[in-house]
Amino acid sequence: MAPLRSFGAPLVDFSGRMPYRTIQSLYDGLFPKGRDRCYWKSTYLSRLDDEVIGEITARMAKRPSEMTFASIWKFGGFVQRVAADATAFGDRSMPFMLSLDAIWPGADEDDANISWVRSFWQDVQRYSTGRLYLNFPGHGEGADLVRDALGAEAYGRLAKIKHRYDPDNLFRLNQNILPMH
């Protein structure tokens, strides 16, 4: 983290150790339900060097909403020691995650913000592992979003479990896994 810390004083620093449940609720207070319009999309990065940082900072300077931010999450330690087939999370070998978090006040700005995130996300895929974190998937990206995020092997295992416990796909209003018949 030393190179990132020497870059300048961060506005917010979540780089310390914390329980996973704490991480999942970090932003809840910043985004009260119903106040803002949001579109978030993530990708795992295979590296975080000057080229990648330059791309991120250049794109952030051109964001359509001042409320929009990007966060970079470092993976390592215990997270990477868990086997890919041990949990639904799947592959944990990626070193970083980039989350693009567009936030804006009104519906008239939907197209500009959503297309900005999608374009940014597409352009950083050259630095990506090809996977993404399903809490920040984007929406409307296609039928294979969850399969691509998890990888074919993990998706197949989860589809079998879904078939056993939810064969009629009742629980489908999330990042859905279709029951494997």
Side-chain angles (χ1 to χ4, degrees):
M1 296 303 299
L4 286 176
R5 291 178 191 269
S6 67
F7 181 71
L11 295 175
V12 179
D13 184 353
F14 296 126
S15 61
R17 290 179 176 229
M18 62 185 77
Y20 185 76
R21 288 179 57 178
T22 300
I23 293 169
Q24 291 302 304
S25 63
L26 281 175
Y27 298 112
D28 290 355
L30 297 174
F31 309 108
K33 185 174 180 165
R35 185 189 72 185
D36 303 315
R37 301 181 67 81
C38 303
Y39 183 82
W40 299 352
K41 195 162 176 64
S42 69
T43 191
Y44 292 130
L45 300 174
S46 56
R47 67 183 211 262
L48 186 63
D49 56 21
D50 289 345
E51 180 182 359
V52 178
I53 293 169
E55 172 102 15
I56 293 167
T57 56
R59 294 299 287 263
M60 287 302 296
K62 297 177 182 175
R63 67 193 186 275
S65 170
E66 289 295 317
M67 296 168 66
T68 293
F69 65 95
S71 57
I72 299 168
W73 302 52
K74 169 71 174 119
F75 291 101
F78 187 77
V79 169
Q80 290 182 326
R81 289 193 293 268
V82 177
D85 62 352
T87 70
F89 190 93
D91 178 30
R92 296 163 180 258
S93 63
M94 73 298 288
F96 302 97
M97 180 189 68
L98 170 64
S99 181
L100 305 171
D101 307 305
I103 304 159
W104 64 98
D108 59 323
E109 300 171 48
D110 287 0
D111 289 342
N113 285 278
I114 292 170
S115 63
W116 178 86
V117 171
R118 288 179 176 168
S119 173
F120 189 167
W121 184 88
Q122 188 62 50
D123 288 348
V124 295
Q125 288 310 291
R126 65 181 178 270
Y127 312 118
S128 176
T129 65
R131 304 278 301 284
L132 61 96
Y133 183 49
L134 282 174
N135 273 14
F136 315 125
H139 293 284
E141 268 62 42
D144 292 330
L145 174 74
V146 176
R147 184 185 317 273
D148 292 345
L150 296 171
E153 186 178 329
Y155 185 91
R157 283 193 329 271
L158 293 171
K160 288 177 184 175
I161 293 168
K162 181 81 177 252
H163 177 67
R164 179 174 179 187
Y165 293 100
D166 185 18
D168 298 323
N169 203 23
L170 176 66
F171 299 102
R172 64 185 175 279
L173 301 177
N174 56 3
Q175 291 79 2
N176 192 33
I177 295 171
L178 296 172
M180 186 179 286
H181 297 290

